[in-house]
């Protein structure tokens, strides 16, 4: 059993993958590194190939994210989309052999319909050239940022659109 997290103490990084990322191991590490992850109802994550745009998809349970009306709580949904963007960038960096910190620089949400059942969130670059542009910035300056878009679906209904810019910090 791991020690409880302490404020001001960074959590140890997960070693970079030697081949393909083990998303189950990453999800377990994520829950230890960021304690609130355990309360978000994240059931499973999958990631498409770079040729498919590298979309990161999360399957989530509604029950831990209910509001007083019996639908998805906006604050929880916002936290999930923001965290998922952070994960997308972190996984992208790991796939490129880079151990750098990621921070959220900007985030926006637009709520379109109530979330009434279990749901999925899909995160992908806002611009198909975003990953290549990020790689160029990292190679030239050691830092950069990328814009991502998240879409939350309950069944076939698009309930939330979110977008954010995530900054990759230079190695300290």
């Amino acid at each position: 059993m791991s020690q409880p997290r302490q404020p001001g103490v960074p959590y140890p990084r997960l070693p970079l993958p030697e081949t393909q990322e083990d998303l189950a191991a990453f999800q377990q590490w994520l829950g230890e590194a960021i304690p609130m992850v355990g309360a978000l109802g994240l059931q499973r994550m999958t990631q498409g190939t770079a040729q498919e745009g590298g979309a990161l998809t999360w399957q989530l349970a509604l029950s831990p994210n209910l509001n007083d009306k019996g639908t998805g709580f906006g604050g929880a949904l916002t936290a999930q989309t923001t965290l998922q963007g952070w994960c997308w960038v972190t996984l992208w960096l790991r796939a490129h052999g880079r151990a750098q910190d990621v921070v959220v620089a900007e985030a926006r949400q637009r709520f379109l319909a109530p979330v009434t059942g279990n749901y999925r969130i899909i995160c992908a670059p806002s611009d198909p050239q975003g990953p290549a542009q990020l790689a160029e910035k990292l190679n030239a300056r050691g830092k950069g940022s990328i814009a991502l878009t998240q879409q939350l679906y309950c069944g076939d209904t698009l309930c939330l659109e979110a977008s954010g810019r995530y900054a990759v910090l230079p190695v300290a």
Side-chain angles (χ1 to χ4, degrees):
M1 182 167 179
S2 62
Q3 297 275 349
R5 291 294 318 276
Q6 297 299 315
V9 179
Y11 195 77
R13 288 184 193 272
L14 191 62
L16 291 173
E18 292 182 20
T19 57
Q20 187 172 345
E21 186 77 56
D22 178 347
L23 289 178
F26 179 81
Q27 185 175 337
Q28 180 179 344
W29 171 85
L30 186 65
E32 295 167 0
I34 303 174
M36 77 176 247
V37 168
L40 293 178
L42 176 57
Q43 297 174 323
R44 183 171 56 96
M45 63 173 73
T46 57
Q47 190 163 33
T49 65
Q51 293 80 16
E52 300 167 332
L56 179 62
T57 302
W58 284 6
Q59 302 291 331
L60 297 114
L62 175 60
S63 57
N65 300 296
L66 288 171
N67 63 17
D68 58 319
K69 296 162 209 56
T71 60
F73 172 57
L77 305 177
T78 296
Q80 291 164 353
T81 59
T82 302
L83 179 61
Q84 187 188 37
W86 180 92
C87 287
W88 189 98
V89 179
T90 299
L91 288 166
W92 184 90
L93 288 167
R94 291 172 55 74
H96 289 83
R98 300 184 82 105
Q100 288 179 254
D101 287 328
V102 177
V103 296
V104 181
E106 179 182 337
R108 293 179 302 282
Q109 300 78 33
R110 189 167 68 117
F111 296 87
L112 305 168
V115 177
T116 58
N118 292 346
Y119 53 98
R120 71 189 181 286
I121 307 173
I122 303 166
C123 177
S126 301
D127 176 348
Q129 296 304 312
Q133 292 167 353
L134 177 59
E136 288 174 19
K137 291 176 195 172
L138 292 172
N139 289 333
R141 299 186 318 207
K143 64 180 182 175
S145 67
I146 187 169
L148 300 174
T149 301
Q150 298 89 10
Q151 295 181 312
L152 185 155
Y153 289 91
C154 187
D156 292 332
T157 303
L158 177 61
C159 299
L160 169 77
E161 287 183 316
S163 61
R165 179 160 293 283
Y166 297 82
V168 178
L169 304 178
V171 176

